[in-house]
Amino acid sequence: CTHARAHTQEPPKPNTQAKGGTAREIEMKVEVVDTTLVTPSEQTPRHTLWLSNLDLAVPKTHTPLVYYYPAPPAGDGGEKQEEFFAPERLREALARALVPFYPLAGRMATGPEGRLEIDCNGEGALFVVARADFTGDEMFRDFEPSPEARRLLVPFAASGDPPCLLAMVQVTFLKCGGVAVGTGMHHVTMDGAGAIQFIRTWTTLARGLDAASVHPSPPVHDRTVLRARSPPHATFEHPVYSPSNLNGLPRPFVTRVYAVSPKLLAGIKSSCAPGVSTYCALTAHLWRAMCVARGLAPDAESRLRVPANIRQRLRPQLPANYFGNAIVRDLVTVRVGDVLSQPLGFVAERIKRAVARVDDAFVRSVIDYLEVESEKGSQAARGQFMPETDLWVVSWLGMPIHDADFGWGCPKFVAPAQMFGSGTAYVTQAPDKDDGVSVLFALEPEYLQCFEKAFYGE
């Protein structure tokens, strides 16, 4: 990942279709104005950082996110104000944020026996400034994650083999005066909670505040607390990590954003047991709509991949400021006929039980299972090409993804810039909680119309 290659803006490989909406109607272009490597503002530790089995079990890709900030109201013509999203202010804050989060300024490396690790060498994060020939309304009015959105708004660098960049940022000034901030953080460095921890630190510093006002304690980078036991001993079965369960072929897909109003969400929850979580109820509803849309055989088995944050499930608990991947997955297997014919509460309860069983013993078993598999020379499934019967739903509910104020207000919109496989979904909170939640779902285009009818009960 040399400096010159780091911003080639080529989309990743997965087989996808073109973005819908306005991107089909007009050709959008972005001109790169400046590309720099931002190094930590102070001397940082130089060492290699051991990666846990949970770090190594995630897809070896950069996670592309985009934050949209509409143009500010016109000024009153009085005292000259600082430029909206002044790049130098963001660069300086990023350099300061990379002091506590110094692994992000490093590079992926290969350690003893070929195991991936992070070389904390302080070489820096990529910072790109660009100008677009399109407006925020043209891009974000009906935004849909796509390779095109990723190419335009988020830097691209090779991510599979060392050495490679771990953190990339692009500030794109839009034709309307608004700004899009695109981030590409390598997944082996952190999960969603870790990403928010970093973004909140960066934005706090950009506002001229002390980072300790948001995170009183610095991030914890030591991941050895998640080492496998010696000898490793898996006490549960973990088919969700088996490559045999990710044996689907790449299929063309498009991604749509589905608004779930408070009224619709209340109706879905009313079909489940009292106290059901939004994630369990909405995922059950999504699962059923997917089975209907794809016309799956009633006697086929359908599998749902459920992620669980383990920070408070381990004994003792992980530090609240743990910076790394602290997510394990479980698998819920239900006959398609049951997904379709049983009460929605039945499916939601199956999901709830899968999430609830992730405790300390389960997590230790996952870590040991991954250790045994690595010793056998096999690798945990990192791809996302699921069979057509399957579904993967990630929850961002309760995560303050819109808490990203660089000093000019919070973003109006936050979303992945691209999805990486059909059957994957994100459930997110709307910027205004009174507006309900949103579901971003990647599906083959031939199933969209039927899916939408099933999802909205038409």
Side-chain angles (χ1 to χ4, degrees):
C1 296
T2 63
H3 193 183
R5 272 192 70 193
H7 195 60
T8 55
Q9 290 294 59
E10 298 172 359
K13 297 290 185 184
N15 191 3
T16 61
Q17 289 213 338
K19 177 181 179 292
T22 54
R24 282 190 310 211
E25 299 157 10
I26 61 173
E27 183 181 0
M28 296 183 175
K29 296 180 181 178
V30 163
E31 177 189 2
V32 174
V33 177
D34 185 47
T35 301
T36 56
L37 284 174
V38 177
T39 57
S41 62
E42 302 173 16
Q43 184 67 31
T44 54
R46 297 291 195 266
H47 62 86
T48 57
L49 182 64
W50 182 83
L51 295 173
S52 77
N53 289 337
L54 299 186
D55 295 319
L56 300 179
V58 301
K60 289 196 299 180
T61 59
H62 295 94
T63 302
L65 297 182
V66 61
Y67 302 76
Y68 169 50
Y69 301 83
D76 56 11
E79 182 180 350
K80 183 178 180 180
Q81 296 181 334
E82 181 184 25
E83 177 189 355
F84 185 56
F85 272 81
E88 190 55 37
R89 178 166 156 186
L90 269 63
R91 266 193 296 261
E92 292 176 358
L94 178 59
R96 293 176 61 196
L98 288 174
V99 175
F101 291 91
Y102 64 90
L104 293 180
R107 297 291 181 268
M108 185 89 77
T110 302
E113 301 178 1
R115 187 184 180 96
L116 290 180
E117 59 188 18
I118 296 176
D119 180 8
C120 300
N121 55 22
E123 290 186 3
L126 181 69
F127 187 91
V128 177
V129 179
R131 295 196 177 277
D133 70 349
F134 51 86
T135 67
D137 194 50
E138 288 169 338
M139 172 60 75
F140 294 104
R141 183 179 66 244
D142 296 307
F143 181 81
E144 292 157 4
S146 68
E148 180 74 355
R150 162 74 186 265
R151 181 184 66 82
L152 293 168
L153 301 173
V154 182
F156 175 74
S159 61
D161 298 314
C164 64
L165 284 160
L166 298 179
M168 305 181 293
V169 174
Q170 179 173 314
V171 180
T172 304
F173 291 90
L174 307 174
K175 192 176 180 180
C176 58
V179 166
V181 176
T183 63
M185 305 295 171
H186 205 295
H187 203 342
V188 301
T189 64
M190 70 185 98
D191 55 17
I196 287 177
Q197 190 181 352
F198 171 72
I199 291 294
R200 293 183 75 181
T201 297
W202 181 23
T203 56
T204 298
L205 291 169
R207 296 198 305 273
L209 303 177
D210 187 345
S213 63
V214 177
H215 299 293
S217 301
V220 173
H221 299 299
D222 181 13
R223 303 164 190 220
T224 57
V225 66
L226 296 180
R227 280 193 186 277
R229 293 170 290 197
S230 183
H233 178 56
T235 52
F236 294 81
E237 293 184 352
H238 302 288
V240 71
Y241 288 99
S242 171
S244 64
N245 283 326
L246 281 174
N247 56 4
L249 297 174
R251 301 184 299 278
F253 67 89
V254 292
T255 303
R256 296 288 184 265
V257 181
Y258 298 104
V260 181
S261 67
K263 180 179 179 181
L264 175 58
L265 182 59
I268 293 170
K269 285 188 167 185
S270 69
S271 300
C272 305
V276 65
S277 72
T278 296
Y279 174 78
C280 290
L282 195 52
T283 299
H285 181 70
L286 174 65
W287 197 353
R288 176 176 289 178
M290 183 209 74
C291 289
V292 170
R294 284 177 163 167
L296 301 178
D299 58 349
E301 285 191 337
S302 182
R303 293 169 298 197
L304 167 71
R305 285 151 179 77
V306 178
N309 188 329
I310 67 170
R311 283 169 171 79
Q312 297 182 14
R313 297 171 187 261
L314 287 176
R315 295 294 178 266
Q317 295 182 1
L318 285 177
N321 51 342
Y322 178 81
F323 187 72
N325 286 282
I327 302 291
V328 302
R329 302 192 289 271
D330 199 4
L331 200 63
V332 185
T333 302
V334 182
R335 283 181 61 256
V336 170
D338 290 335
V339 174
L340 297 176
S341 63
Q342 291 281 1
L344 194 66
F346 167 84
V347 183
E349 179 63 25
R350 292 291 302 272
I351 299 169
K352 177 183 176 181
R353 285 190 306 202
V355 175
R357 81 167 184 153
V358 178
D359 57 10
D360 183 83
F362 186 89
V363 174
R364 297 296 175 187
S365 179
V366 168
I367 294 170
D368 286 1
Y369 170 84
L370 294 172
E371 185 74 11
V372 171
E373 290 300 301
S374 67
E375 289 175 354
K376 292 193 300 189
S378 59
Q379 294 184 337
R382 295 184 178 127
Q384 292 173 291
F385 294 135
M386 296 175 289
E388 199 176 43
T389 52
D390 293 7
L391 182 66
W392 188 333
V393 184
V394 176
S395 174
W396 283 0
L397 297 172
M399 296 174 63
I401 60 174
H402 295 93
D403 188 4
D405 179 6
F406 287 94
W408 297 277
C410 292
K412 180 180 180 180
F413 182 80
V414 181
Q418 179 182 9
M419 307 281 269
F420 289 97
S422 183
T424 58
Y426 286 85
V427 181
T428 72
Q429 193 74 49
D432 185 341
K433 292 187 177 180
D434 293 337
D435 292 337
V437 300
S438 297
V439 175
L440 294 85
F441 188 40
L443 189 66
E444 296 84 352
E446 62 267 28
Y447 300 139
L448 280 178
Q449 187 174 7
C450 185
F451 171 81
E452 290 166 5
K453 287 181 179 180
F455 189 77
Y456 286 114
E458 298 174 2

